[in-house]
Amino acid sequence: MGQLVIYCEDRGIAIEDLSESELASFSELLGPDLYAYIDYDNILQKGIKCEML
């Protein structure tokens, strides 16, 4: 995954700004479901325990 981070840093973009095809070029395991895990608001909600009840 380090290559993915370097790719984004070199282009000045965030991982969530990559297209599905760009993600897939790094691994066939990376698909549209990844966006739910890297979305800033979703990450914040995962950390709020009362929201998980």
Side-chain angles (χ1 to χ4, degrees), residues 10-31:
D10 287 347
R11 286 157 182 76
I13 58 175
I15 293 173
E16 61 267 22
D17 294 332
L18 295 176
S19 67
E20 289 181 34
S21 62
E22 285 175 300
L23 286 173
S25 72
F26 290 94
S27 172
E28 62 186 33
L29 300 175
L30 299 177

Side-chain angles (χ1 to χ4, degrees), residues 4-6 9 11-12 16-18 20-24 29 35-36 38-42 46 48-50 52-53:
L4 178 59
V5 172
I6 292 170
E9 286 180 350
R11 286 157 182 76
E16 61 267 22
D17 294 332
L18 295 176
E20 289 181 34
S21 62
E22 285 175 300
L23 286 173
L29 300 175
Y35 296 109
I38 61 176
D39 179 73
Y40 185 74
D41 290 330
N42 284 344
K46 290 175 192 259
I48 301 172
K49 304 303 182 218
C50 66
M52 300 172 119
L53 299 175

